PDB file of all heavy atoms in Angstrom:
ATOM      1  N   THR Z  52      96.915 -90.026  95.827  1.00 93.00           N
ATOM      2  CA  THR Z  52      95.857 -91.039  95.947  1.00 93.00           C
ATOM      3  C   THR Z  52      94.504 -90.384  96.204  1.00 93.00           C
ATOM      4  O   THR Z  52      93.481 -90.812  95.669  1.00 93.00           O
ATOM      5  CB  THR Z  52      96.204 -92.010  97.104  1.00 93.00           C
ATOM      6  OG1 THR Z  52      97.472 -92.581  96.807  1.00 93.00           O
ATOM      7  CG2 THR Z  52      95.175 -93.114  97.230  1.00 93.00           C
ATOM      8  N   LYS Z  53      94.507 -89.335  97.009  1.00 96.00           N
ATOM      9  CA  LYS Z  53      93.239 -88.658  97.312  1.00 96.00           C
ATOM     10  C   LYS Z  53      92.617 -88.097  96.036  1.00 96.00           C
ATOM     11  O   LYS Z  53      91.407 -88.200  95.822  1.00 96.00           O
ATOM     12  CB  LYS Z  53      93.499 -87.528  98.318  1.00 96.00           C
ATOM     13  CG  LYS Z  53      92.238 -86.913  98.842  1.00 96.00           C
ATOM     14  CD  LYS Z  53      92.558 -85.811  99.810  1.00 96.00           C
ATOM     15  CE  LYS Z  53      92.022 -86.194 101.165  1.00 96.00           C
ATOM     16  NZ  LYS Z  53      92.172 -85.153 102.148  1.00 96.00           N
ATOM     17  N   PHE Z  54      93.447 -87.518  95.165  1.00 97.00           N
ATOM     18  CA  PHE Z  54      92.917 -87.031  93.887  1.00 97.00           C
ATOM     19  C   PHE Z  54      92.256 -88.180  93.130  1.00 97.00           C
ATOM     20  O   PHE Z  54      91.131 -88.042  92.632  1.00 97.00           O
ATOM     21  CB  PHE Z  54      94.032 -86.413  93.014  1.00 97.00           C
ATOM     22  CG  PHE Z  54      93.632 -86.326  91.564  1.00 97.00           C
ATOM     23  CD1 PHE Z  54      92.825 -85.285  91.123  1.00 97.00           C
ATOM     24  CD2 PHE Z  54      93.995 -87.317  90.657  1.00 97.00           C
ATOM     25  CE1 PHE Z  54      92.397 -85.230  89.791  1.00 97.00           C
ATOM     26  CE2 PHE Z  54      93.574 -87.266  89.324  1.00 97.00           C
ATOM     27  CZ  PHE Z  54      92.771 -86.217  88.898  1.00 97.00           C
ATOM     28  N   PHE Z  55      92.966 -89.310  93.012  1.00 96.00           N
ATOM     29  CA  PHE Z  55      92.409 -90.410  92.218  1.00 96.00           C
ATOM     30  C   PHE Z  55      91.097 -90.909  92.816  1.00 96.00           C
ATOM     31  O   PHE Z  55      90.153 -91.233  92.099  1.00 96.00           O
ATOM     32  CB  PHE Z  55      93.431 -91.548  92.080  1.00 96.00           C
ATOM     33  CG  PHE Z  55      94.517 -91.223  91.083  1.00 96.00           C
ATOM     34  CD1 PHE Z  55      95.827 -91.051  91.480  1.00 96.00           C
ATOM     35  CD2 PHE Z  55      94.212 -91.043  89.742  1.00 96.00           C
ATOM     36  CE1 PHE Z  55      96.822 -90.730  90.559  1.00 96.00           C
ATOM     37  CE2 PHE Z  55      95.194 -90.723  88.804  1.00 96.00           C
ATOM     38  CZ  PHE Z  55      96.504 -90.561  89.213  1.00 96.00           C
ATOM     39  N   LYS Z  56      91.001 -90.948  94.160  1.00 96.00           N
ATOM     40  CA  LYS Z  56      89.739 -91.374  94.808  1.00 96.00           C
ATOM     41  C   LYS Z  56      88.623 -90.398  94.477  1.00 96.00           C
ATOM     42  O   LYS Z  56      87.525 -90.797  94.090  1.00 96.00           O
ATOM     43  CB  LYS Z  56      89.919 -91.458  96.334  1.00 96.00           C
ATOM     44  CG  LYS Z  56      90.670 -92.692  96.747  1.00 96.00           C
ATOM     45  CD  LYS Z  56      90.642 -92.872  98.260  1.00 96.00           C
ATOM     46  CE  LYS Z  56      91.400 -94.147  98.611  1.00 96.00           C
ATOM     47  NZ  LYS Z  56      91.996 -94.124  99.922  1.00 96.00           N
ATOM     48  N   GLU Z  57      88.918 -89.113  94.633  1.00 98.00           N
ATOM     49  CA  GLU Z  57      87.868 -88.106  94.378  1.00 98.00           C
ATOM     50  C   GLU Z  57      87.458 -88.124  92.900  1.00 98.00           C
ATOM     51  O   GLU Z  57      86.277 -88.036  92.568  1.00 98.00           O
ATOM     52  CB  GLU Z  57      88.374 -86.693  94.758  1.00 98.00           C
ATOM     53  CG  GLU Z  57      88.515 -86.509  96.248  1.00 98.00           C
ATOM     54  CD  GLU Z  57      88.740 -85.043  96.640  1.00 98.00           C
ATOM     55  OE1 GLU Z  57      88.611 -84.145  95.785  1.00 98.00           O
ATOM     56  OE2 GLU Z  57      89.049 -84.806  97.825  1.00 98.00           O
ATOM     57  N   PHE Z  58      88.445 -88.248  92.027  1.00 98.00           N
ATOM     58  CA  PHE Z  58      88.130 -88.172  90.604  1.00 98.00           C
ATOM     59  C   PHE Z  58      87.292 -89.384  90.176  1.00 98.00           C
ATOM     60  O   PHE Z  58      86.354 -89.258  89.387  1.00 98.00           O
ATOM     61  CB  PHE Z  58      89.427 -88.064  89.788  1.00 98.00           C
ATOM     62  CG  PHE Z  58      89.178 -87.577  88.393  1.00 98.00           C
ATOM     63  CD1 PHE Z  58      88.634 -86.317  88.162  1.00 98.00           C
ATOM     64  CD2 PHE Z  58      89.471 -88.365  87.303  1.00 98.00           C
ATOM     65  CE1 PHE Z  58      88.378 -85.865  86.860  1.00 98.00           C
ATOM     66  CE2 PHE Z  58      89.232 -87.931  86.004  1.00 98.00           C
ATOM     67  CZ  PHE Z  58      88.684 -86.675  85.786  1.00 98.00           C
ATOM     68  N   ASN Z  59      87.611 -90.555  90.719  1.00 97.00           N
ATOM     69  CA  ASN Z  59      86.801 -91.733  90.398  1.00 97.00           C
ATOM     70  C   ASN Z  59      85.382 -91.580  90.922  1.00 97.00           C
ATOM     71  O   ASN Z  59      84.426 -91.996  90.268  1.00 97.00           O
ATOM     72  CB  ASN Z  59      87.454 -93.001  90.960  1.00 97.00           C
ATOM     73  CG  ASN Z  59      88.455 -93.558  89.975  1.00 97.00           C
ATOM     74  OD1 ASN Z  59      88.094 -94.204  88.995  1.00 97.00           O
ATOM     75  ND2 ASN Z  59      89.727 -93.276  90.212  1.00 97.00           N
ATOM     76  N   HIS Z  60      85.258 -90.980  92.085  1.00 97.00           N
ATOM     77  CA  HIS Z  60      83.928 -90.750  92.639  1.00 97.00           C
ATOM     78  C   HIS Z  60      83.142 -89.811  91.728  1.00 97.00           C
ATOM     79  O   HIS Z  60      81.955 -90.026  91.438  1.00 97.00           O
ATOM     80  CB  HIS Z  60      84.042 -90.179  94.056  1.00 97.00           C
ATOM     81  CG  HIS Z  60      82.753 -90.189  94.786  1.00 97.00           C
ATOM     82  ND1 HIS Z  60      81.832 -89.165  94.676  1.00 97.00           N
ATOM     83  CD2 HIS Z  60      82.207 -91.099  95.609  1.00 97.00           C
ATOM     84  CE1 HIS Z  60      80.781 -89.452  95.410  1.00 97.00           C
ATOM     85  NE2 HIS Z  60      80.979 -90.619  95.988  1.00 97.00           N
ATOM     86  N   PHE Z  61      83.831 -88.766  91.271  1.00 98.00           N
ATOM     87  CA  PHE Z  61      83.187 -87.825  90.351  1.00 98.00           C
ATOM     88  C   PHE Z  61      82.744 -88.549  89.070  1.00 98.00           C
ATOM     89  O   PHE Z  61      81.624 -88.344  88.579  1.00 98.00           O
ATOM     90  CB  PHE Z  61      84.153 -86.676  90.019  1.00 98.00           C
ATOM     91  CG  PHE Z  61      83.725 -85.865  88.840  1.00 98.00           C
ATOM     92  CD1 PHE Z  61      82.648 -84.992  88.932  1.00 98.00           C
ATOM     93  CD2 PHE Z  61      84.362 -86.001  87.616  1.00 98.00           C
ATOM     94  CE1 PHE Z  61      82.213 -84.263  87.820  1.00 98.00           C
ATOM     95  CE2 PHE Z  61      83.942 -85.280  86.508  1.00 98.00           C
ATOM     96  CZ  PHE Z  61      82.866 -84.411  86.609  1.00 98.00           C
ATOM     97  N   LEU Z  62      83.615 -89.417  88.538  1.00 98.00           N
ATOM     98  CA  LEU Z  62      83.263 -90.134  87.305  1.00 98.00           C
ATOM     99  C   LEU Z  62      82.078 -91.077  87.537  1.00 98.00           C
ATOM    100  O   LEU Z  62      81.216 -91.227  86.661  1.00 98.00           O
ATOM    101  CB  LEU Z  62      84.469 -90.924  86.771  1.00 98.00           C
ATOM    102  CG  LEU Z  62      85.642 -90.088  86.235  1.00 98.00           C
ATOM    103  CD1 LEU Z  62      86.809 -90.986  85.840  1.00 98.00           C
ATOM    104  CD2 LEU Z  62      85.227 -89.217  85.058  1.00 98.00           C
ATOM    105  N   ASP Z  63      82.014 -91.685  88.739  1.00 97.00           N
ATOM    106  CA  ASP Z  63      80.855 -92.541  89.068  1.00 97.00           C
ATOM    107  C   ASP Z  63      79.562 -91.740  88.949  1.00 97.00           C
ATOM    108  O   ASP Z  63      78.548 -92.235  88.457  1.00 97.00           O
ATOM    109  CB  ASP Z  63      80.938 -93.064  90.512  1.00 97.00           C
ATOM    110  CG  ASP Z  63      82.042 -94.086  90.693  1.00 97.00           C
ATOM    111  OD1 ASP Z  63      82.499 -94.656  89.690  1.00 97.00           O
ATOM    112  OD2 ASP Z  63      82.444 -94.293  91.864  1.00 97.00           O
ATOM    113  N   ASP Z  64      79.603 -90.497  89.414  1.00 97.00           N
ATOM    114  CA  ASP Z  64      78.406 -89.636  89.364  1.00 97.00           C
ATOM    115  C   ASP Z  64      78.121 -89.156  87.949  1.00 97.00           C
ATOM    116  O   ASP Z  64      76.971 -89.016  87.537  1.00 97.00           O
ATOM    117  CB  ASP Z  64      78.603 -88.387  90.235  1.00 97.00           C
ATOM    118  CG  ASP Z  64      78.419 -88.698  91.705  1.00 97.00           C
ATOM    119  OD1 ASP Z  64      77.883 -89.788  92.011  1.00 97.00           O
ATOM    120  OD2 ASP Z  64      78.829 -87.872  92.532  1.00 97.00           O
ATOM    121  N   LEU Z  65      79.210 -88.882  87.219  1.00 97.00           N
ATOM    122  CA  LEU Z  65      79.048 -88.262  85.894  1.00 97.00           C
ATOM    123  C   LEU Z  65      78.536 -89.258  84.847  1.00 97.00           C
ATOM    124  O   LEU Z  65      77.664 -88.905  84.026  1.00 97.00           O
ATOM    125  CB  LEU Z  65      80.404 -87.704  85.436  1.00 97.00           C
ATOM    126  CG  LEU Z  65      80.425 -87.027  84.070  1.00 97.00           C
ATOM    127  CD1 LEU Z  65      79.705 -85.679  84.142  1.00 97.00           C
ATOM    128  CD2 LEU Z  65      81.854 -86.829  83.571  1.00 97.00           C
TER     129      LEU Z  65
END
Side-chain angles (χ1 to χ4, degrees):
T52 302
K53 189 180 243 185
F54 161 81
F55 284 114
K56 283 189 179 152
E57 289 192 9
F58 197 62
N59 273 282
H60 192 274
F61 165 73
L62 292 176
D63 290 341
D64 282 346
L65 180 72

